[in-house]
Amino acid sequence: MFTRQSGHARGIRARLRGVSVAVAAIGAVIGLAAGPAAAADTWTAVPDPDSSRWFDAFLANGGDTVFARSGFYSGGDSGSGEVARYWQRNGTTWTLLPAFASQTVETSDDDVWTATSANDFWVVGQTASAATVGNHWNGTAWEQRSPTDTTVRFLDIKAVSTSDVWAVGTTRSSSASSLPGTIGHWTGSSWQVTKITPTAGSQTELTSVYVKSATDIWAAGETCTAVGGSNCRGYVTHYDGTSWTEVAVPTGTVGIEEITAGPSGEVWAAAGTKVLRWNGSAWTGGADVSVSGAYAIRELTWAGGKLYAGLGLDSGSSHSGILRWTGSAWEQVTRVPETTGYYVTNVYELSGAPDGTLWAAGSYVQLFATPTFAATLAPGS
């Protein structure tokens, strides 16, 4: 794996907290597992086809196809700007997709992509002028599918089909008295945008969306009583096929970064290191993460009918950074062999494939650098 400089920021979730690495701490044991690690976990490293660059994200839910993002610094260091490349994997072969028509699009935000098949892959990013650009891969070429509202910034996107795509985010403006949360629906020919303002003068940012059905869609994030981010709280809204309605979360809930639903339909939301579960009528707790050094759950992903959580860890940790829900508690997943002997700092991508394979990407600490890792966890582990 290519070694990146430790100053590199990973997308929207980098705002949660910067990674601070103290060289003097290397060699110390930091971070205890939330539970015993499973003995049967079998990891396989994913070789990077982009020589001297890195794989930093996977999208494994596009049918039998896996998409990946790799990157490199155009001038060899973090100050020169990151260039993202997108890959498609069929079988064991990676194919580099053509570059977007617009080279000014910034696409490094986590999760701002989605796919249903090899011929239906979306990547959303921003131009230098902050306008949102939607790029759709149809199996042969990129098609630009951008919202006409240039104040919209999408932060998460989920495709149901080529004509049914949902995206959520916020509003970008330097002078508005309020910044509503935005919800976009691609209907096959255009984006229909809904803006949500829980209270007058508020600032709302939706960072995650999950589509259960056409009449059961969930979006989550954070709302603040004033533009600029004061008096903020976690926020969830639900679509019943007709309208969006706020679903109140427990008092004290911080901004929600992930919302998902499992095979039984139960909705899960991650806010900091706390996990909320919606049982159909109320939120319940009891699934919080208790890992020394963990400051946030960065990913919630289902693979093989099991829920996995990827962690953000302060100052590096001997923890694997990946947890699995047993039904009553979190257990630590065996460390990716590539990180053994080092501190894991962040697991910033988990993606479950239809066959139950878990794809993971993250970073760990070496002297003066944070190399990345990329690996798969075999089904049934």
Side-chain angles (χ1 to χ4, degrees):
M1 286 293 164
F2 177 70
T3 299
R4 288 190 283 180
Q5 302 301 310
S6 59
H8 179 67
R10 287 302 318 142
I12 169 183
R13 290 182 181 81
R15 69 180 177 80
L16 284 169
R17 199 152 178 177
V19 177
S20 174
V21 179
V23 174
I26 295 178
V29 177
I30 304 174
L32 300 176
D41 293 336
T42 304
W43 286 101
T44 301
V46 179
D48 193 336
D50 213 4
S51 177
S52 74
R53 279 123 175 159
W54 64 79
F55 263 158
D56 64 3
F58 297 107
L59 182 63
N61 59 356
D64 294 329
T65 298
V66 176
F67 291 97
R69 182 176 61 227
S70 70
F72 64 96
Y73 295 124
S74 57
D77 59 64
S78 59
S80 60
E82 180 184 341
V83 177
R85 294 185 174 189
Y86 291 87
W87 300 76
Q88 181 177 314
R89 180 180 183 269
N90 289 297
T92 59
T93 303
W94 290 102
T95 300
L96 179 64
L97 299 182
F100 303 136
S102 173
Q103 295 298 316
T104 61
V105 176
E106 167 59 50
T107 56
S108 63
D109 280 357
D110 292 341
D111 287 346
V112 192
W113 58 349
T114 187
T116 65
S117 71
N119 303 321
D120 185 25
F121 174 45
W122 294 73
V123 179
V124 174
Q126 274 66 48
T127 63
S129 63
T132 290
V133 175
N135 293 285
H136 176 256
W137 176 252
N138 63 17
T140 303
W142 290 103
E143 304 166 322
Q144 193 169 114
R145 294 180 174 176
S146 306
T148 56
D149 185 342
T150 58
T151 68
V152 169
R153 184 187 182 191
F154 290 146
L155 302 175
D156 195 19
I157 183 170
K158 294 292 186 298
V160 179
S161 69
T162 56
S163 60
D164 188 9
V165 183
W166 293 85
V168 299
T170 188
T171 303
R172 296 181 66 97
S173 174
S174 59
S175 58
S177 59
S178 65
L179 296 177
T182 57
I183 299 170
H185 183 209
W186 173 263
T187 60
S189 59
S190 63
W191 285 100
Q192 306 299 314
V193 176
T194 300
K195 296 194 175 183
I196 294 177
T197 306
T199 56
S202 66
Q203 174 178 323
T204 302
E205 182 176 276
L206 300 174
T207 54
S208 186
V209 60
Y210 190 85
V211 181
K212 295 177 67 177
S213 72
T215 59
D216 193 2
I217 302 173
W218 295 75
E222 180 180 73
T223 188
C224 308
T225 58
V227 172
S230 61
N231 193 22
C232 302
R233 61 179 176 84
Y235 179 79
V236 174
T237 184
H238 176 258
Y239 183 67
D240 61 4
T242 302
S243 60
W244 290 92
T245 303
E246 181 175 357
V247 180
V249 296
T251 301
T253 300
V254 299
I256 295 171
E257 290 297 322
E258 289 286 330
I259 193 162
T260 186
S264 66
E266 190 177 51
V267 176
W268 297 67
T273 58
K274 295 184 178 297
V275 181
L276 304 175
R277 291 178 288 177
W278 179 257
N279 61 16
S281 59
W283 294 105
T284 61
D288 296 353
V289 169
S290 180
V291 174
S292 177
Y295 63 82
I297 299 170
R298 297 174 62 112
E299 290 286 329
L300 279 180
T301 301
W302 293 87
K306 300 175 182 178
L307 181 63
Y308 291 84
L311 305 181
L313 296 159
D314 267 333
S315 302
S317 173
S318 60
H319 196 278
S320 70
I322 302 175
L323 301 174
R324 177 172 45 229
W325 181 248
T326 65
S328 59
W330 292 103
E331 64 179 1
Q332 181 183 185
V333 174
T334 305
R335 288 172 65 98
V336 176
E338 198 171 353
T339 68
T340 302
Y342 300 102
Y343 298 140
V344 174
T345 56
N346 283 289
V347 176
Y348 42 67
E349 192 72 45
L350 292 177
S351 183
D355 68 356
T357 300
L358 179 70
W359 291 71
S363 58
Y364 58 99
V365 180
Q366 288 181 337
L367 283 170
F368 308 112
T370 54
T372 61
F373 64 84
T376 60
L377 183 64
S381 293

